[in-house]
Amino acid sequence: MPEETFVIAGASLAGAKAAETLREEGFAGRVLLIGDEIERPYERPPLSKGFLLDKEPREKAHVHEADWYDEHGVELRLGTSVASIDRGAHQVRLSTGEPVSYDRLLLATGASVRRLEVPGSKLQGIHYLRTMADSAALKQALAHGGRRVVVAGAGWIGLETAAAARSYGNDVTIIDPEPTPLHAVMGPELGGMFGDLHREHGADLRLDQGVAGFWGAGQVSAVVTSGGAEVPADVVIVGIGVRPNTGLAEEAGLEVSDGVLVDQSLRTSDPDIFAAGDVANAYNPLLGRRIRVEHWANALNGGPAAARAMLGQDVVYDRIPYFFSDQYDLGMEMSGVAAPGEYDEVVYRGEVPSREFIAFWLSGGRVVAGMNVNVWDVTGDVQALIRSGRPVDTTRLADPAVPLAGLA
């Protein structure tokens, strides 16, 4: 029998963990891990946290040591990409022109930042954060302090980079068209708390308005809001979300809608092609619908799940979405989905003003999401409540004396 070849398009966290899992599960065939960056696979949370704050070295973000790939027989091709897929021939063509035949193919192509297409958007000093190189450049721009920093977007990336900018001693203004930070993620109740947190640390929040353009002569010097105000700026950080990198899948004729459509085993409309991480819009049987998750935990767990499915194992990927963030003296973990319209009640365990509490989002009496703020070692219990799908007694849910484990 000829040796099987598994190709992984995307040397991302999901791709690297998939390669690792293939070897752990005993796959002895050829594994090619292909990435367009020159940096070996790394995790992204440090880019807006420890690495950006200069608290962690660059190497800590890498998924594996440099020699791991050779030691495990994984062909790591950096600075290249999969340019096209010939599904009929079971072959990919690399950006170098090299054809590679495959038995199974994993798309771990991730996502790209959404860019602001407004007047002045090509000026120097406007930063986006997606890659290690982006983070290094932003750290250099912030590290000396005393600069006027404008952050466009009050989502997770915007708030974390704003906190980093303030920690370096810069003046910070945050602009967002929603009425509260994180409005689309957790609604106004907790979004307002994050707004207060940043105000207390000296940030100026300009909400209910967007960015209409940038001024400057080569270098950005001001941001123009949709309300007509001009905000002085030496550095601009744009954090308005990402788009899944679906071009390769679309050109190959795979089913695509807000990501590459995959089933609960992370298999695409082609039985020999799988997708994981930011690019995958997966059917989650626990939630009963499709969901595309852009967070670290999804890449960490999705890559291995896809690898096992590629090996023919029976895989049901029903992880509860999970995210964590650190801003100033606030650390939090969030599980589940709590977008406006997907819940009808918020229950608090602990005191919100103290910023040491757990918030639960409920729909029809059932917990659909939970966020622990400066409270630790409860994620398993929160996720058990979500997974149970049973109505809970909200009085007991709010009572810190009642163990969470007994409510699931």
Side-chain angles (χ1 to χ4, degrees):
M1 293 279 297
E3 178 183 66
E4 282 192 302
T5 297
F6 284 10
V7 173
I8 303 171
S12 56
L13 172 60
K17 295 302 286 187
E20 177 185 309
T21 302
L22 289 174
R23 291 306 189 216
E24 287 179 346
E25 294 291 324
F27 180 68
R30 187 184 183 197
V31 176
L32 277 81
L33 179 57
I34 301 163
D36 57 2
E37 292 187 55
I38 59 173
E39 191 98 26
R40 72 179 186 272
Y42 56 86
E43 302 185 13
R44 297 194 188 277
L47 306 189
S48 59
K49 300 180 176 72
F51 178 70
L52 180 61
L53 288 164
D54 207 25
K55 294 180 178 179
E56 297 176 0
R58 188 187 202 100
E59 293 72 24
K60 188 172 182 180
H62 290 130
V63 182
H64 301 110
E65 298 293 332
D67 55 3
W68 182 91
Y69 300 94
D70 284 341
E71 290 176 355
H72 290 81
V74 174
E75 298 178 43
L76 179 60
R77 305 281 190 91
L78 298 177
T80 188
S81 61
V82 174
S84 63
I85 304 168
D86 185 336
R87 292 167 53 196
H90 269 61
Q91 188 178 85
V92 298
R93 186 168 295 277
L94 306 187
S95 55
T96 59
E98 177 187 354
V100 178
S101 296
Y102 67 85
D103 293 279
R104 297 285 189 276
L105 171 65
L106 173 62
L107 301 179
T109 50
S112 298
V113 293
R114 294 178 182 269
R115 295 189 173 270
L116 270 176
E117 300 297 337
V118 297
S121 61
K122 305 301 183 185
L123 291 169
Q124 296 297 309
I126 300 175
H127 294 259
Y128 292 82
L129 183 58
R130 184 64 185 174
T131 68
M132 181 73 77
D134 293 338
S135 184
L138 181 58
K139 177 163 59 173
Q140 185 176 18
L142 300 177
H144 297 296
R147 309 195 76 185
R148 299 168 300 178
V149 178
V150 175
V151 180
W156 293 117
I157 291 296
L159 295 184
E160 289 181 357
T161 54
R166 285 296 298 139
S167 75
Y168 281 119
N170 298 287
D171 294 330
V172 173
T173 302
I174 303 170
I175 301 172
D176 194 275
E178 297 289 353
T180 68
L182 301 166
H183 192 271
V185 179
M186 58 180 60
E189 297 88 352
L190 274 300
M193 180 198 71
F194 280 93
D196 292 341
L197 172 70
H198 281 264
R199 290 186 185 96
E200 289 171 14
H201 283 83
D204 177 15
L205 271 68
R206 309 283 185 95
L207 302 175
D208 288 313
Q209 55 191 303
V211 171
F214 303 102
W215 289 114
Q219 173 75 27
V220 67
S221 60
V223 177
V224 182
T225 73
S226 56
E230 292 186 19
V231 183
D234 304 305
V235 178
V236 172
I237 305 168
V238 179
I240 57 172
V242 298
R243 299 180 189 276
N245 292 327
T246 59
L248 185 63
E250 290 181 66
E251 291 170 7
L254 298 174
E255 293 182 6
V256 171
S257 178
D258 184 32
V260 180
L261 299 185
V262 294
D263 64 14
Q264 64 185 19
S265 298
L266 303 181
R267 181 181 276 106
T268 72
S269 51
D270 183 313
D272 291 327
I273 302 178
F274 299 75
D278 293 2
V279 77
N281 188 350
Y283 179 76
N284 185 312
L286 178 68
L287 302 178
R289 62 182 175 89
R290 291 189 176 279
I291 185 169
R292 190 175 66 80
V293 180
E294 298 170 355
H295 301 316
W296 163 85
N298 183 50
L300 181 72
N301 297 301
R308 295 185 180 99
M310 293 165 76
L311 293 170
Q313 297 180 20
D314 184 16
V315 172
V316 177
Y317 188 66
D318 62 352
R319 305 281 302 199
I320 294 171
Y322 167 86
F323 178 76
F324 70 97
S325 182
D326 299 302
Q327 300 169 36
Y328 308 112
D329 55 354
L330 184 150
M332 56 75 69
E333 298 173 292
M334 185 165 184
S335 299
V337 180
E342 298 188 1
Y343 65 91
D344 51 39
E345 184 179 8
V346 181
V347 173
Y348 301 97
R349 172 178 285 226
E351 298 299 323
V352 175
S354 72
R355 298 200 182 114
E356 190 171 316
F357 66 93
I358 309 173
F360 301 93
W361 287 261
L362 286 78
S363 177
R366 297 169 173 82
V367 176
V368 296
M371 179 177 70
N372 46 296
V373 176
N374 291 332
V375 175
W376 307 110
D377 301 321
V378 296
T379 296
D381 292 331
V382 171
Q383 293 203 359
L385 280 169
I386 298 170
R387 192 170 288 277
S388 75
R390 294 193 296 269
V392 297
D393 181 331
T394 56
T395 300
R396 288 167 56 80
L397 183 65
D399 187 352
V402 178
L404 283 178
L407 297 172

